[in-house]
Amino acid sequence: MEAKENNQFGLEKSHGDHISSHSSGAAGFVTPLTSSPILSASMVEAFFAPSLWNHHTSSCPMNFGESNIQTATSGINCVPIGKPVAMSNRGMLPSPPPGEFPHSLPHFPVDSGFIERAARLSCFGGSSFRGISLFGPSQSMAPPSDASKDVNGARVLKAELNVVSLPVEHGTIKGITTNSKRDRSISHVGTSNNESREGNFCEDGQERHTGSADAAGNSSSSDLGANKRRKATEEMEKEKDQVLRALQSSTETTKNNTETKHKSYKHSGKNAKDNSEAAKEGYVHVRAQRGQATNSHSLAERVRREKISERMKYLQELVPGCSKVTGKAVMLDEIINYVQSLQRQVEFLSMKLAAVNPQLDFSIEGPLAKNLLHSHGGSSSAAGFSQEMIYPQVYSSQQGLAHAGISSMLNPSDAFRRPMNTEIPMTSGYKETSLQMHNSWNEQLVMQMAYGANPPLNSQVINRKPDGFTI
Amino acid sequence: MDSKSSACSSPNPNPTLGPSKLMLAFRFLRALSLVRRTTPASSRTCRGRRIERAAYASMAYTAGASRAWSRAVLRRLHHRARRRAVAPRRLSTTAGNRAEALRRLVPGGGGMDYCTLLEETADYIKCLSMQVELMQGIVDSASSYGP
């Protein structure tokens, strides 16, 4: 936005000259901006767009972890729902031997009923639900007969594969219910496993698939960087792969499942409670994805990686010409080059400023200075003012235009109004104007010119909507 | 340098809003006038370096004490007044040490983890670009008067 307004001044050429004369290769960063199309500037536009800029900058500097909290709490909210059913479960299963499950759990709700209830919970992500439904029945297959464990498990998994391929969540639920009717006699045992697993899902997640976890985990961790886990289709693909792999190694997974389930029984009570409590305490909750290790170390690693990728994205917006660049290494190189070029520019400009003939004598009046320094707490006024100052008009060599622009610009700010309105000289010629002006007016003029003169280096930032996340 | 720094002692009360262009302009112009007044006109390089220091100081004050890089800049300016180099001149970025190169560039980057380094870099870039804008504008306006 600033770039477009500044171009009105016809500064492009002079600015381009400055840039081209700059010894370093920083020209590449700045010149594209000078050639941006010129917009007709309206006061309203200018007033709101800068506030957008400020909002953008303000929105960015907040915690990156917030997005994680938001996504995670939605998962966490699902947990208590499993509680009422799991509660009774816990009483029943204080110490089941690893290989065995209670065979008679008559008072548990029927599988289909449970599934329908789960289906109504919109917060349940498709993956989580499918995970439960897929592997619950397989678990139920395990206890009755160890000999036929593999066969049954494989059969159930195959049956459930059809479920996974359905694109819609409700579709999958229907598929599951149809399957479950077939397996109802055996699957009722699995409900206990379902519910306890449900309670544990957010925390222990994928320990069942330790056999296939590594392979799946690698693919899913690479997806994290792109936040693809939020898309149902991606999850479906993952699960399909995982189910296929699980088919091949079903014995392994069922064995691991039983072992981890035993561990998870102890944790189930704690986890369900902890989730709701920790959510209030503002911890960063991360939902373990299917096939990913839920080790505390790897979870923390994942959080850290997500933070880093968020910040890299933000940096990508800041550095001009980096939106196409993909990959951390290239991005980092660009960032380093940009910072170097900015520092070189500061050095170069400071040398130039030293050489400039001091025609403008800046001295700030006491009250004006105090006003500025103490009232910048009302930063909206200050920011709004500074953004108005960007208003192009100043740079024109015609006095009348400058006068009109300046006087129209400075209305809201009390600190500047008085000197502005009383001391706008009516001389012709810009140079005379600046020399004869009141010192504070002088400085204001320079500030206006300073911000009006340049296409901002980060104009792209202004045009973009603020992200959801904040630093 | 001390008079400059003592004059701009008010902290930024709105760290969430980000650095303010107006405050930066205000501080820098004040520092610039001070430099112009105090240094003799003959020593241009000396004045140039002082102006550069003034630029970094005003940047750091505007950014506020909430940022690690601004604290590092001010620390550097106050305690190492003898040393002139505020920004390192030459840096080579080989494939292996990109993070190190970034750490050397961003003031105060040595003592923080990678995640914080990226955050600080973003804020530093914002402030640097604002500063460059401001200085470019002043140079342009000054040169537009012409002979």
Side-chain angles (χ1 to χ4, degrees):
Chain A
M1 184 211 87
E2 291 174 358
K4 294 158 189 167
E5 291 150 16
N6 297 333
N7 289 336
Q8 284 192 352
F9 308 135
L11 256 196
E12 292 181 42
K13 288 178 198 167
S14 59
H15 193 58
D17 288 342
H18 283 298
I19 298 299
S20 57
S21 65
H22 188 43
S23 55
S24 73
F29 287 121
V30 186
T31 39
L33 293 165
T34 57
S35 56
S36 60
I38 296 170
L39 279 187
S40 60
S42 63
M43 282 304 295
V44 181
E45 224 185 33
F47 184 73
F48 285 115
S51 55
L52 260 181
W53 187 87
N54 283 328
H55 284 311
H56 179 82
T57 54
S58 65
S59 62
C60 293
M62 282 154 56
N63 6 335
F64 277 87
E66 241 186 64
S67 61
N68 284 339
I69 292 170
Q70 285 166 13
T71 53
T73 47
S74 63
I76 285 156
N77 291 334
C78 306
V79 174
I81 291 150
K83 252 201 239 178
V85 188
M87 290 290 234
S88 47
N89 198 9
R90 252 174 260 130
M92 292 277 302
L93 309 163
S95 58
E100 295 171 31
F101 291 90
H103 293 265
S104 59
L105 298 164
H107 54 279
F108 279 103
V110 183
D111 206 19
S112 57
F114 159 74
I115 289 168
E116 278 158 22
R117 215 185 315 125
R120 276 183 223 124
L121 307 171
S122 58
C123 64
F124 256 11
S127 65
S128 60
F129 179 75
R130 282 191 287 267
I132 292 165
S133 60
L134 274 176
F135 294 101
S138 74
Q139 275 299 351
S140 68
M141 297 317 231
S145 54
D146 289 48
S148 60
K149 204 195 315 184
D150 306 347
V151 178
N152 287 337
R155 211 195 305 151
V156 172
L157 285 172
K158 261 189 200 161
E160 299 294 338
L161 254 182
N162 303 331
V163 169
V164 180
S165 62
L166 286 170
V168 183
E169 281 176 32
H170 291 292
T172 61
I173 292 159
K174 285 178 201 157
I176 290 161
T177 51
T178 54
N179 284 335
S180 67
K181 281 172 194 164
R182 247 189 298 138
D183 304 329
R184 190 173 295 193
S185 55
I186 313 156
S187 60
H188 71 273
V189 179
T191 55
S192 63
N193 306 330
N194 276 348
E195 283 127 19
S196 60
R197 192 173 298 110
E198 192 183 326
N200 305 333
F201 194 78
C202 287
E203 292 301 314
D204 302 325
Q206 314 311 322
E207 286 183 0
R208 328 167 203 155
H209 301 292
T210 51
S212 56
D214 296 351
N218 291 338
S219 60
S220 51
S221 63
S222 63
D223 284 344
L224 264 180
N227 278 335
K228 285 184 187 169
R229 62 191 159 122
R230 299 218 175 93
K231 298 179 186 170
T233 52
E234 296 282 334
E235 291 168 348
M236 298 215 37
E237 303 275 331
K238 256 192 281 178
E239 286 170 22
K240 258 196 217 174
D241 296 340
Q242 289 167 13
V243 169
L244 282 168
R245 272 181 237 118
L247 266 179
Q248 298 157 12
S249 59
S250 58
T251 49
E252 214 180 8
T253 54
T254 47
K255 272 183 196 161
N256 291 333
N257 286 342
T258 58
E259 284 163 8
T260 54
K261 268 193 67 60
H262 180 52
K263 285 182 230 159
S264 65
Y265 285 142
K266 297 174 190 165
H267 299 301
S268 61
K270 280 187 240 162
N271 287 339
K273 289 174 198 161
D274 286 345
N275 286 339
S276 46
E277 288 170 9
K280 296 166 199 164
E281 291 172 47
Y283 288 18
V284 175
H285 292 283
V286 183
R287 184 157 215 166
Q289 292 299 302
R290 286 176 67 88
Q292 287 183 347
T294 53
N295 202 8
S296 64
H297 291 301
S298 48
L299 274 179
E301 267 289 310
R302 194 143 52 88
V303 171
R304 185 178 161 271
R305 257 181 278 140
E306 285 173 14
K307 267 194 188 177
I308 287 177
S309 66
E310 279 181 51
R311 280 158 206 211
M312 289 292 291
K313 269 194 269 174
Y314 179 56
L315 275 168
Q316 217 173 12
E317 292 181 9
L318 272 187
V319 178
C322 269
S323 46
K324 311 153 195 168
V325 171
T326 50
K328 276 174 75 175
V330 190
M331 194 57 224
L332 264 183
D333 276 338
E334 284 296 311
I335 291 168
I336 288 171
N337 285 334
Y338 189 56
V339 173
Q340 273 179 313
S341 81
L342 283 176
Q343 285 177 337
R344 270 182 258 137
Q345 268 184 307
V346 169
E347 184 191 339
F348 173 74
L349 286 170
S350 65
M351 293 298 178
K352 215 169 178 185
L353 271 176
V356 158
N357 205 3
Q359 293 168 353
L360 308 170
D361 183 21
F362 317 120
S363 67
I364 297 156
E365 285 192 2
L368 183 64
K370 277 180 200 163
N371 254 341
L372 259 186
L373 274 177
H374 298 308
S375 70
H376 79 305
S379 60
S380 56
S381 66
F385 180 79
S386 68
Q387 299 309 327
E388 289 171 345
M389 290 199 306
I390 289 171
Y391 258 94
Q393 328 290 335
V394 183
Y395 220 87
S396 146
S397 55
Q398 300 167 19
Q399 171 61 23
L401 200 57
H403 179 197
I406 291 161
S407 51
S408 61
M409 255 190 275
L410 296 176
N411 294 329
S413 169
D414 289 337
F416 286 78
R417 190 180 311 181
R418 261 176 282 115
M420 284 309 301
N421 291 339
T422 57
E423 316 219 351
I424 294 171
M426 301 312 259
T427 58
S428 64
Y430 209 58
K431 184 174 177 177
E432 293 168 306
T433 301
S434 57
L435 287 177
Q436 293 168 20
M437 276 183 237
H438 189 279
N439 285 334
S440 59
W441 159 234
N442 214 355
E443 185 201 43
Q444 292 157 28
L445 174 64
V446 172
M447 281 197 283
Q448 289 151 12
M449 293 187 303
Y451 286 123
N454 296 332
L457 297 171
N458 54 353
S459 61
Q460 299 169 19
V461 171
I462 294 161
N463 293 331
R464 270 168 238 239
K465 280 190 174 180
D467 292 337
F469 68 82
T470 48
I471 294 181
Chain B
M1 301 304 124
D2 280 334
S3 56
K4 239 183 290 171
S5 50
S6 58
C8 325
S9 54
S10 59
N12 183 6
N14 285 311
T16 54
L17 204 61
S20 151
K21 282 189 166 188
L22 179 60
M23 289 315 302
L24 182 68
F26 178 70
R27 287 203 159 101
F28 181 64
L29 288 164
R30 198 162 58 169
L32 195 60
S33 62
L34 185 67
V35 169
R36 285 227 177 101
R37 263 185 271 144
T38 53
T39 59
S42 55
S43 54
R44 285 199 185 160
T45 46
C46 171
R47 195 196 258 182
R49 294 219 179 80
R50 284 199 190 179
I51 290 177
E52 190 186 354
R53 276 198 296 261
Y56 278 102
S58 54
M59 253 204 305
Y61 277 115
T62 307
S66 55
R67 285 287 166 189
W69 69 264
S70 62
R71 289 194 297 267
V73 166
L74 293 176
R75 223 182 297 136
R76 212 193 291 182
L77 287 176
H78 286 302
H79 298 311
R80 300 185 188 179
R82 304 295 159 110
R83 282 207 200 170
R84 276 198 236 113
V86 176
R89 306 280 185 242
R90 296 284 172 259
L91 255 168
S92 63
T93 53
T94 63
N97 59 358
R98 282 191 186 90
E100 292 172 29
L102 193 58
R103 277 177 207 274
R104 269 176 277 157
L105 275 179
V106 176
M112 45 173 95
D113 52 310
Y114 190 65
C115 207
T116 322
L117 179 68
L118 289 181
E119 187 181 334
E120 293 288 322
T121 308
D123 197 68
Y124 188 55
I125 286 177
K126 264 194 281 179
C127 282
L128 262 183
S129 51
M130 274 196 334
Q131 181 74 47
V132 168
E133 260 183 77
L134 173 62
M135 292 172 81
Q136 187 74 65
I138 295 174
V139 166
D140 286 342
S141 64
S143 63
S144 75
Y145 293 146

